[in-house]
């Protein structure tokens, strides 16, 4: 109970101390809490994720890489699905806190891993962040990151066995079109849209239909109608 209380407050406390004490005393204490497997207290590690993001916002990229990155890596592969869910749920906040260089060099790998997590709740949470994660990447590296790292995971999620995972993906996948551009949308995304439009679950199909405008703005109404609209007859109906 004491460790849980400490983990819940340490992020706010870190804001009030000088940098010397933060790096020399608070962060070592924080890392001890974040790696607390004594008594299998995943609740402590769960709280430490949000605190870690708060602390990361106070540090330079160099200090984050040295002092906090190991903790974030551990959280992304924690034995407790609840901890992995928390890191997935807070991933955009983490991305913004650590900056583009650490995101490119380290977080992309872990985000891709969360999209492939064994637990559906974790996959759904991560899938829901795909559009925002990709949008936040620097424009000059978006395609280089998305094509080999994110797109393969997206292709797997389209055929996920869990309805909620596919619904989460369907709510954001159309938003990748402006990021990936016309050619990549036609070649790589349209086939995935078609699969989701034929999904057996109505909420998955509805999420695609509700976001068609994002694709229309990128590839044009003629290409969109040729590729999708003639095939979606009855797509918004019940299962």
């Amino acid at each position: 109970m004491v460790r849980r209380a400490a983990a819940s407050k340490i992020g706010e406390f870190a804001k009030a101390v000088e940098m010397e004490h933060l790096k020399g005393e608070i962060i070592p204490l924080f890392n001890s809490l974040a790696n607390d497997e004594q008594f299998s207290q995943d609740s402590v590690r769960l709280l430490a994720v949000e605190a870690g993001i708060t602390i990361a916002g106070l540090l330079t990229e160099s200090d984050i890489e040295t002092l906090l990155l190991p903790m974030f890596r551990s959280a992304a592969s924690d034995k407790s699905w609840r901890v992995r869910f928390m890191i997935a749920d807070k991933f955009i906040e983490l991305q913004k806190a650590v900056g583009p260089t650490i995101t490119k060099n380290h977080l992309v790998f872990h985000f891709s891993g969360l999209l492939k997590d064994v637990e559906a709740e974790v996959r759904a949470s991560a899938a829901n962040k795909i559009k925002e994660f990709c949008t936040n990447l620097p424009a000059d590296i978006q395609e280089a990151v998305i094509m080999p790292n994110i797109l393969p995971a997206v292709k797997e999620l389209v055929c996920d066995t869990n309805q909620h995972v596919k619904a989460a993906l369907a709510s954001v996948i159309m938003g990748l079109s402006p990021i990936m551009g016309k050619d990549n949308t036609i070649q790589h995304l349209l086939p995935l849209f078609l699969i989701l439009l034929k999904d057996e679950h109505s909420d998955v199909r509805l999420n695609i239909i509700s976001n068609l405008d994002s694709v229309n703005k990128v590839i044009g109404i003629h290409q969109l109608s040729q590729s999708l609209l003639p095939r979606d007859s009855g797509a918004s109906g019940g299962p």
Side-chain angles (χ1 to χ4, degrees), residues 20-37:
E20 178 184 356
H21 297 297
L22 175 61
K23 292 195 287 187
E25 300 172 24
I26 303 303
I27 291 179
L29 173 61
F30 165 75
N31 282 324
S32 175
L33 293 170
N35 292 293
D36 182 13
E37 294 193 4

Side-chain angles (χ1 to χ4, degrees), residues 95 104 108 111-112 115 129-155 173 175-181 184-185 188-189 192:
Q95 180 187 21
K104 176 186 176 183
V108 170
F111 186 65
S112 177
L115 291 171
K129 307 295 187 300
I130 289 174
K131 174 188 172 183
E132 195 169 359
F133 178 79
C134 294
T135 300
N136 290 340
L137 294 169
D140 60 334
I141 68 167
Q142 283 178 335
E143 185 172 349
V145 168
I146 294 170
M147 298 305 289
N149 298 286
I150 306 302
L151 186 60
V154 168
K155 289 180 177 179
I173 189 174
L176 291 178
S177 294
I179 304 171
M180 294 179 63
N184 283 329
T185 294
H188 298 288
L189 294 182
L192 305 183

Side-chain angles (χ1 to χ4, degrees), residues 49-98:
V49 169
E50 191 164 3
I53 294 172
T54 299
I55 295 173
L58 305 173
L59 301 174
T60 65
E61 284 192 356
S62 177
D63 285 335
I64 292 171
E65 197 161 8
T66 302
L67 301 173
L68 292 181
L69 190 57
M71 184 281 295
F72 291 129
R73 284 173 171 163
S74 295
S77 58
D78 196 279
K79 65 182 181 181
S80 168
W81 76 267
R82 296 201 309 153
V83 176
R84 301 195 308 275
F85 175 86
M86 177 61 78
I87 200 79
D89 187 56
K90 299 291 182 181
F91 214 88
I92 302 304
E93 295 174 40
L94 174 60
Q95 180 187 21
K96 292 178 179 178
V98 304

